[in-house]
Amino acid sequence: MSLKFCWRTTSLLATATALLISTTAPKAHADIPDENYRPILDHLLGTVMPPKLDELNGATSDLADGLKDFCSDPDADGLLEVQGDFHSAMDIWQEIQPWRMGPLVANGRDQHIEYWPDKHGTATRQFRKLMFNKPAAFTDPKQLSDASAALQGFPALEEVLFDDKHSDQLIAADEDGVFLCQYGSAIATNLVRLTGEVRDEWPAFADAMRNAGPDSMDYATAKFAATDLYRALHEGLLIISSQKLGRPIGTDAKDASASRGESETSKRSLRNINHNLIGLFAIYDGKWGDVGQEGKGLSALIDSSLLDRSFRLNWQTEQDQLDTLPPSITELLDQPDGYQKLVDLAGQIDFLTSLVENDVGGNTNLGGGFNALDGD
């Protein structure tokens, strides 16, 4: 089986468990020549993403090194430093997370990096059993890599570093604290491996996308390849709406629960969304922080300057709104009008989703009448 075939198969497997979401079909637009998609693939996959994957791997390396230093001489200040390292690594992961394709999802790698959502409390049950037995195998990064995804990655490390009881144990360096430190170090070291694999495998995947054509077993056309980028943008917004906001919002204010949010133990569920939007906007715009160039993403295909300005304005409005909110849903729901603000935020995300489904999808010829959203 060729490498190219493997990468396309990976993308299809990522959406094999599908939720079909009906949308209004995008307005018909004139066909776009296939060659117009190639510069976008080259820019986003070859120029924009590789430095970000380097940054993610570097951040997880800093986290692993920080944990090693902390475990050798644990104290409260050292714990704060390691928690800061966690936040730095999680920030860049949340920006990359929505690009759900290729090496990011191969072999379930995204779930090993971050096992979420966990509707059935699998991680909580497994973590409780882990702390009861304290198996030495879970302090070895290599053996840990073969364990349940629920006991690997950022959520498991979040539990180690941010749960109040475990924080006290870490600093006290009692029997539980020593095990937690060794286990946390193994998680961080395994994250270095996982993010290094994504970084190292990305160039081959990018080449498979950029070399789309009649001779490719993955992507018969550049447009077909670019559809994966559009899908990542669209599904990224849907995941924010249905999972990251929809689950905590519940059916009404009485049913709302911050604990159903992502990364609530470290109080950063809304901070995650802010970083998601940064990574998602790069797909549209072509510039990601100081990497890339504005107007060389999917927006290069937009034939209406009015639509482009409107989309950018609405996106900026959403990010400005997030900047006025606390980093966690727990803190937001503690405010008298917090629930309504959360609902309003979800409404804005839904509006952006409709712009992507209809206007961006139609103008780029990449949208369709439904979207397959992976998830349970």
Side-chain angles (χ1 to χ4, degrees), residues 93-154:
W93 164 245
Q94 287 296 320
E95 294 181 19
I96 290 171
Q97 181 195 54
W99 290 55
R100 300 168 65 250
M101 60 181 74
L104 282 165
V105 295
N107 302 314
R109 192 175 281 135
D110 58 331
Q111 289 296 298
H112 286 85
I113 293 173
E114 186 188 2
Y115 184 79
W116 192 87
D118 182 11
K119 284 187 176 182
H120 307 296
T122 301
T124 299
R125 291 195 305 274
Q126 292 185 3
F127 193 93
R128 188 180 300 119
K129 183 178 180 181
L130 178 74
M131 289 305 299
F132 181 80
N133 295 321
K134 301 182 187 65
F138 284 80
T139 65
D140 179 345
K142 190 176 188 314
Q143 295 186 67
L144 178 64
S145 68
D146 294 325
S148 165
L151 292 175
Q152 300 181 37
F154 284 111

Side-chain angles (χ1 to χ4, degrees), residues 254-291:
K254 291 183 179 179
D255 184 52
S257 175
S259 65
R260 293 194 293 262
E262 182 187 32
S263 305
E264 264 305 302
T265 301
S266 56
K267 300 295 185 288
R268 54 167 298 134
S269 46
L270 296 179
R271 178 172 172 173
N272 284 357
I273 293 172
N274 207 342
H275 283 279
N276 283 164
L277 292 178
I278 292 171
L280 285 169
F281 190 67
I283 298 175
Y284 176 82
D285 179 54
K287 187 171 175 60
W288 191 341
D290 57 358
V291 175

Side-chain angles (χ1 to χ4, degrees), residues 62-299:
D62 290 343
L63 176 58
D65 290 343
L67 258 167
K68 182 179 179 181
D69 291 342
F70 168 74
C71 290
S72 67
D73 186 19
D75 59 24
D77 289 340
L79 180 59
L80 286 175
E81 290 181 11
V82 173
Q83 289 174 340
D85 291 338
F86 175 93
H87 284 305
S88 295
M90 195 61 159
D91 284 348
I92 182 59
W93 164 245
Q94 287 296 320
E95 294 181 19
I96 290 171
Q97 181 195 54
W99 290 55
R100 300 168 65 250
M101 60 181 74
L104 282 165
V105 295
N107 302 314
R109 192 175 281 135
D110 58 331
Q111 289 296 298
H112 286 85
I113 293 173
E114 186 188 2
Y115 184 79
W116 192 87
D118 182 11
K119 284 187 176 182
H120 307 296
T122 301
T124 299
R125 291 195 305 274
Q126 292 185 3
F127 193 93
R128 188 180 300 119
K129 183 178 180 181
L130 178 74
M131 289 305 299
F132 181 80
N133 295 321
K134 301 182 187 65
F138 284 80
T139 65
D140 179 345
K142 190 176 188 314
Q143 295 186 67
L144 178 64
S145 68
D146 294 325
S148 165
L151 292 175
Q152 300 181 37
F154 284 111
L157 187 53
E158 177 188 28
E159 182 72 16
V160 170
L161 294 176
F162 290 90
D163 177 84
D164 290 340
K165 177 182 176 182
H166 298 146
S167 296
D168 291 342
Q169 291 170 334
L170 285 170
I171 294 170
D174 56 15
E175 181 184 0
D176 285 339
V178 170
F179 174 78
L180 283 166
C181 237
Q182 294 173 340
Y183 171 51
S185 291
I187 295 172
T189 300
N190 190 47
L191 280 170
V192 177
R193 177 189 64 83
L194 288 166
T195 58
E197 288 176 352
V198 176
R199 176 202 59 199
D200 294 344
E201 293 174 13
W202 187 265
F205 167 68
D207 285 345
M209 292 273 276
R210 291 184 294 185
N211 294 328
D215 296 331
S216 170
M217 289 189 292
D218 284 325
Y219 302 96
T221 65
K223 175 183 177 179
F224 187 31
T227 300
D228 274 1
L229 290 165
Y230 171 81
R231 175 187 55 79
L233 174 61
H234 186 200
E235 290 182 5
L237 290 169
L238 287 171
I239 288 169
I240 293 173
S241 175
S242 65
Q243 296 180 3
K244 300 195 177 195
L245 291 174
R247 284 168 52 78
I249 285 173
T251 56
D252 53 35
K254 291 183 179 179
D255 184 52
S257 175
S259 65
R260 293 194 293 262
E262 182 187 32
S263 305
E264 264 305 302
T265 301
S266 56
K267 300 295 185 288
R268 54 167 298 134
S269 46
L270 296 179
R271 178 172 172 173
N272 284 357
I273 293 172
N274 207 342
H275 283 279
N276 283 164
L277 292 178
I278 292 171
L280 285 169
F281 190 67
I283 298 175
Y284 176 82
D285 179 54
K287 187 171 175 60
W288 191 341
D290 57 358
V291 175
Q293 185 176 333
E294 182 179 332
K296 295 190 71 174
L298 295 182
S299 62

Side-chain angles (χ1 to χ4, degrees), residues 22-43:
S22 299
T23 64
T24 303
K27 296 178 181 178
H29 286 263
D31 286 343
I32 296 173
D34 200 56
E35 289 305 308
N36 289 20
Y37 294 98
R38 293 192 185 279
I40 297 166
L41 293 169
D42 187 65
H43 181 70

